Amino acid sequence: MQRLFSPFRLKGLHFKNRIVMPPLASFLLDRDGTVTDKAVEHYRMRAAGGPAMIIMEACAVSREGIVSFHQARIDEDRFVEGLSKIVRVVKAEGAIPAVQIHHGGRQTSVKVIGRRPLAPSPLPCPAIRGEVEALTVSGIRELVQKFGDAAVRVREAGFELLELHGAHGYLINQFLSPYSNIRQDAYGGDLEGRTRFAREVLQEVRRRLGPDFPVSFKISAQEFVSNGLTLEESIAALKILIPEGIDMVQVSAGNDATPEWICQPMFMKKACLADSARAVKKAVNIPVMSVGRINDPFIAERIIAEEKADLVCIGRGLLADPEMPKKAEEGRFDDIRTCIACNTCMESIFKKGRVECLVNPTLGREQEMAILPARNPRKIMVVGGGPGGMDASWVAAQRGHRVDLYEKGPALGGQLIPGSATTYKKEMLSLIRFQSKQMRRYGVRVHLNREIQPEDVLSEKPDVVIVATGSLPAVPRLEGIEHEIVCPFSSVLDGKRPLPRETVVIGGGPTGCEVAFHLSEQGCPVTVVEMLPKAGKGLEAINKKVLFAKLAAKGVRFLTGCRPLRITAQGVWIKEAADKERFLPAGRVVLATGIRPNTALYDRIKDMGFEVYRIGDCLEPRTAKDAILEGARLGRIL
């Protein structure tokens, strides 16, 4: 880690290492964009974890520039006081406080801003749709002024670096790209015209801040759309923009049509944009930051060592484990809670309006989920070694309880084990390793191959029993379900290479889609039968987009709106939407029709006088995130 933890200087700033937390939306702010205590604690914890610089999430420079309620704002003086609170805690923890400013342009909606979104051209956002209003020249000049006003507030709040968001399909990117800018005036056309808005913004920012204040620029070096920015054109744009006052560039990718390149899912390789950063670094004379699936300190070290970038941006990795930099510097690599790129953080923002994390249940709940010593240490029996049971165990043990965990199988992990069988989900295993390490660290006694019966609970006499026995397959009532060709999804996701048979998967939810992908990778022809009109319900949007593209490339066939009728030794009869029966030949039929709670033990001991709790799928079949959160909360309150 010698290079990753070497110092770096930019103008008057001293970076104690090469790790930067890039701007990541938390939406832990009030509905009007004012800073909350939750937001302050969120940034304090990340700064305390050891990165050199924290760049606060994008602050809108104008009311119509916000992209969602609870977004940070910097368009009025009243926001300065709250922003300064974040500055103070970040500096107090030894990190450089920075902030990103932006305008959403067309990438918002009437529902959010109360008017038609502004854009360079009358082209709607491909993700949100809806009419937009093309900016007039006077409107452009007004926005340039607002960027300058925001820059002044950045300095007044005490931030020590300003980053302009010129990426990800927001307004500056919309002007830069021919994909979104079809203007024929001085702000469109060739690259000189398309960079004019960004140049004027930079000139105004520099005029207001002076030459010595550090300014970074974030660019989508590649948009991965037809007629979008390419790496070569982005480098040419940067050569035009840098003389206007850019001190450093953050090299990202993607726009509103290619979000998988903005928040890369687990399908994509780690450090997938590092080569783009290297190309930019070779072409420009200012420092470069690399971003994109850098969730491992060893990968970050290699990026710096190979001179692909001067600094590395670790975003979701610091959501998953705020202390990653500190742990890496101290050599405690097994203690790092690794981001698995499941994109739960993104999904929660869009669905719940706040950030959450599958592997780190304390994200966004830092204050309420502090771990405090137990007032009255007790003997706790945990039954089930899945993600919920493991989290409850080590948290309770850390607080001082005596904890014994019993798992009926030969290994810990529960549904995370079959859940990590597909090639793109192998990183789920890192969560099992982390939880196992925490249990060893805090003295949880683990008993494998022990299926607990009520008499075992009576003999152990625990003060508390936590039942985390998970779930069982929900087997549909189908004629022929007993045929040998029928198997549960877990038997396919068991780590063994499946025989290359023509397969029908019954159930097109997340599990059915994963099974289909796994089998198709092994050369099996696969047909998925789903009763709903669309398959993939419950999959996170970005992962779903990438997964379905891969399934299509593998030739996986989806039959939606279809109901299985009966199974024979040769295949499956289904009923299609028009009540027409159809036979699907198959050598294997996989049931991915859901799960049901395994409550057998709980039902037998709940009236035996013990203090007993249920968590995870044993309570109600849901996700690993729900199980971990329940386990984490229970471990803290016992």
Side-chain angles (χ1 to χ4, degrees):
M1 298 291 126
Q2 181 178 355
R3 294 171 180 83
L4 185 61
F5 290 98
S6 63
F8 181 78
R9 297 194 71 86
L10 177 70
K11 287 195 168 177
L13 298 179
H14 174 75
F15 292 71
K16 61 186 177 184
N17 57 49
R18 304 302 183 95
I19 301 172
V20 173
M21 180 179 176
L24 289 177
S26 72
F27 292 170
L28 295 173
L29 299 103
D30 276 337
R31 189 176 173 87
D32 70 344
T34 54
V35 171
T36 64
D37 290 343
K38 276 191 173 185
V40 174
E41 181 63 9
H42 170 75
Y43 283 107
R44 187 200 67 77
M45 286 193 68
R46 269 78 211 162
M53 182 167 70
I54 300 283
I55 308 179
M56 184 187 165
E57 61 199 275
C59 293
V61 302
S62 181
R63 173 63 184 83
E64 83 287 340
I66 66 171
V67 298
S68 177
F69 300 117
H70 300 281
Q71 184 187 344
R73 290 170 58 184
I74 198 167
D75 56 306
E76 297 177 25
D77 291 343
R78 64 187 177 92
F79 295 113
V80 171
E81 181 181 355
L83 294 171
S84 67
K85 294 179 182 178
I86 292 175
V87 168
R88 287 195 292 271
V89 297
V90 169
K91 290 188 71 172
E93 297 293 352
I96 298 167
V99 67
Q100 184 182 78
I101 61 174
H102 95 139
H103 189 290
R106 70 179 185 178
Q107 201 167 310
T108 187
S109 66
V110 173
K111 179 182 177 181
V112 173
I113 64 174
R115 54 156 297 159
R116 285 187 299 170
L118 299 175
S121 304
L123 301 175
C125 172
I128 300 174
R129 301 184 176 89
E131 289 186 359
V132 300
E133 179 181 320
L135 279 158
T136 62
V137 171
S138 62
I140 290 172
R141 290 172 179 164
E142 183 179 341
L143 282 179
V144 169
Q145 180 72 27
K146 288 183 177 181
F147 271 96
D149 294 341
V152 172
R153 296 185 188 106
V154 165
R155 183 173 56 194
E156 289 175 350
F159 290 105
E160 297 176 355
L161 179 142
L162 177 152
E163 180 168 89
L164 285 173
H165 201 335
H168 299 173
Y170 296 121
L171 186 62
I172 293 177
N173 174 241
Q174 290 164 29
F175 271 96
L176 289 175
S177 175
Y179 174 76
S180 44
N181 184 350
I182 56 172
R183 298 176 72 102
Q184 298 301 312
D185 63 3
Y187 291 91
D190 61 12
L191 190 60
E192 187 72 20
R194 285 183 280 113
T195 57
R196 182 173 178 178
F197 177 64
R199 280 186 284 127
E200 291 182 354
V201 169
L202 281 164
Q203 289 165 1
E204 181 65 12
V205 166
R206 271 286 166 235
R207 186 180 72 81
R208 306 289 287 276
L209 294 181
D212 298 327
F213 196 94
V215 173
S216 174
F217 189 89
K218 186 167 188 170
I219 191 168
S220 282
Q222 296 157 282
E223 292 186 288
F224 299 101
V225 292
S226 177
N227 205 35
L229 288 172
T230 63
L231 183 57
E232 294 73 21
E233 190 167 25
S234 292
I235 289 172
L238 285 171
K239 289 181 177 180
I240 295 173
L241 296 174
I242 287 171
E244 304 296 347
I246 299 176
D247 299 305
M248 183 161 60
V249 61
Q250 183 184 158
V251 180
S252 189
N255 63 19
D256 36 15
T258 51
E260 65 272 21
W261 286 102
I262 296 173
C263 197
Q264 302 86 4
M266 56 181 67
F267 293 94
M268 295 188 177
K269 69 176 184 178
K270 296 180 180 182
C272 54
L273 299 177
D275 288 338
S276 297
R278 176 170 57 183
V280 172
K281 182 173 169 57
K282 287 182 177 180
V284 303
N285 61 352
I286 60 172
V288 168
M289 294 187 284
S290 181
V291 70
R293 284 278 274 142
I294 306 172
N295 67 343
D296 182 326
F298 291 99
I299 291 175
E301 167 78 10
R302 191 161 61 247
I303 290 171
I304 303 300
E306 295 175 357
E307 298 185 351
K308 292 184 176 181
D310 301 283
L311 300 164
V312 290
C313 292
I314 300 178
R316 288 175 292 173
L318 293 183
L319 299 185
D321 192 336
E323 295 184 304
M324 177 205 276
K326 184 181 296 183
K327 291 176 180 178
E329 189 171 21
E330 294 171 356
R332 297 189 289 124
F333 303 108
D334 289 343
D335 279 330
I336 293 174
R337 184 194 280 113
T338 305
C339 168
I340 59 174
C342 62
N343 272 350
T344 294
C345 49
M346 294 295 294
E347 182 180 42
S348 62
I349 285 172
F350 290 118
K351 288 189 175 181
K352 296 186 176 182
R354 65 177 185 274
V355 69
E356 293 182 350
C357 177
L358 186 152
V359 304
N360 179 13
T362 67
L363 176 63
R365 306 180 179 96
E366 285 84 0
Q367 293 170 310
E368 65 195 74
M369 294 190 72
I371 297 178
L372 303 175
R375 294 182 179 178
N376 179 29
R378 296 195 282 174
K379 181 179 180 181
I380 298 177
M381 178 184 232
V382 180
V383 186
M390 287 193 288
D391 214 286
S393 295
W394 72 259
V395 171
Q398 182 180 359
R399 297 182 60 227
H401 295 297
R402 176 184 171 182
V403 183
D404 285 83
L405 182 144
Y406 298 84
E407 165 56 44
K408 70 177 182 178
L412 295 170
Q415 289 301 316
L416 291 178
I417 297 175
S420 61
T422 53
T423 54
Y424 71 93
K425 294 185 74 177
K426 292 295 183 187
E427 289 179 67
M428 293 284 284
L429 295 172
S430 69
L431 179 53
I432 300 176
R433 291 192 293 270
F434 171 79
Q435 301 236 35
S436 299
K437 174 63 184 297
Q438 302 313 301
M439 289 196 295
R440 292 192 300 271
R441 178 180 179 183
Y442 295 112
V444 176
R445 286 162 289 278
V446 176
H447 311 270
L448 299 176
N449 298 304
R450 284 285 306 275
E451 185 167 5
I452 294 297
Q453 303 298 331
E455 52 267 29
D456 298 316
V457 181
L458 283 171
S459 65
E460 290 293 331
K461 297 182 175 61
D463 299 307
V464 179
V465 182
I466 299 175
V467 182
T469 47
S471 59
L472 298 169
V475 180
R477 294 182 178 180
L478 280 177
E479 179 185 337
I481 199 77
E482 73 283 352
H483 280 294
E484 290 186 2
I485 66 170
V486 180
C487 62
F489 68 85
S490 57
S491 69
V492 177
L493 301 176
D494 60 359
K496 299 176 182 177
R497 185 179 180 87
L499 295 173
R501 296 174 179 169
E502 187 166 2
T503 303
V504 172
V505 178
I506 297 178
T511 301
C513 292
E514 290 174 20
V515 168
F517 179 77
H518 180 61
L519 291 173
S520 68
E521 276 202 314
Q522 309 302 323
C524 301
V526 181
T527 299
V528 180
V529 177
E530 169 56 47
M531 293 179 65
L532 295 176
K534 292 183 179 180
K537 182 180 179 181
L539 283 169
E540 185 274 327
I542 295 176
N543 277 292
K544 181 178 179 180
K545 177 184 177 182
V546 179
L547 174 57
F548 271 62
K550 289 182 176 293
L551 289 168
K554 292 287 186 181
V556 173
R557 180 174 55 158
F558 282 87
L559 299 178
T560 56
C562 297
R563 181 166 60 90
L565 296 175
R566 56 190 176 276
I567 302 171
T568 72
Q570 290 78 39
V572 184
W573 282 95
I574 66 170
K575 178 173 283 190
E576 297 180 304
D579 282 346
K580 180 181 178 182
E581 292 191 9
R582 178 179 178 183
F583 181 71
L584 304 175
R588 180 194 293 114
V589 177
V590 180
L591 300 178
T593 47
I595 54 178
R596 59 182 177 84
N598 180 7
T599 63
L601 179 65
Y602 176 80
D603 292 340
R604 293 179 66 186
I605 68 172
K606 64 180 179 180
D607 297 324
M608 291 170 57
F610 292 99
E611 183 180 339
V612 60
Y613 301 89
R614 283 187 295 168
I615 60 173
D617 286 349
C618 175
L619 177 63
E620 180 184 354
R622 285 149 302 149
T623 65
K625 178 174 80 73
D626 296 313
I628 292 169
L629 176 58
E630 287 172 1
R633 279 179 165 157
L634 185 57
R636 284 164 169 79
I637 64 174
L638 289 176

